[in-house]
Amino acid sequence: GAVVSQHPSRVICKSGTSVKIECRSLDFQATTMFWYRQFPKQSLMLMATSNEGSKATYEQGVEKDKFLINHASLTLSTLTVTSAHPEDSSFYICSARLVQNIQYFGAGTRLSVL
Amino acid sequence: KQEVTQIPAALSVPEGENLVLNCSFTDSAIYNLQWFRQDPGKGLTSLLLIQSSQREQTSGRLNASLDKSSGRSTLYIAASQPGDSATYLCAGLYNQGGKLIFGQGTELSVKP
């Protein structure tokens, strides 16, 4: 099956620093990738839809200047959490869409902001 | 508003028991419905996907059904095993843009 690689799997940073998370489709090209956030014991909430070569589409309530998304190639999308604060601590998961609206998910990134 | 709800939030069963997980959705204009498994601190593993034109899908000990008219889907797990312990999420696809609406998940614990 299709593989989506997400890196890093865990990051701990100080408040005020920026953190970049990478999402790669390893064996297929993905014109569309998605970024989700999951708080403990809660479900996944879509943050934004990332389209190759164009600006990301953000969900209501998600600050685009806070969560920068770059989808520069058909196999790579990045999410940068700028000036991270403790409330940004969460589990971030990406997915890449293949055919028939099937999404393949990365393993997630656990962000802890001190 | 499109919402997906899963009940119960947690379920504990003895090994070997058959069980059913429930998922309901408010908008029947659904393209497909997918069931995922999530282990603690991990990403999602897709288990079954049911297209809107289908009634059920089967994979091994798993069977998922979809009833659009009632806005419900079920995931049936036969002969449960401790290795089935995980959180199970259902998600509905509501547009061709690919936006998935997730339920809150059911945390399953299968006791040996």
Side-chain angles (χ1 to χ4, degrees), chain A residues 96-104, chain B residues 32 34 46 49 51:
Chain A
R97 185 171 67 177
L98 188 51
V99 295
Q100 295 180 340
N101 279 313
I102 297 174
Q103 293 182 30
Y104 294 88
Chain B
N32 63 48
Q34 203 162 354
S46 179
L49 182 148
Q51 300 290 354

Side-chain angles (χ1 to χ4, degrees), chain B residues 1 15 41 43 47 60 62 74-75 99:
Chain B
K1 183 181 178 183
E15 181 178 4
L47 298 174
L62 306 179
T74 61
L75 178 66
K99 178 177 178 178

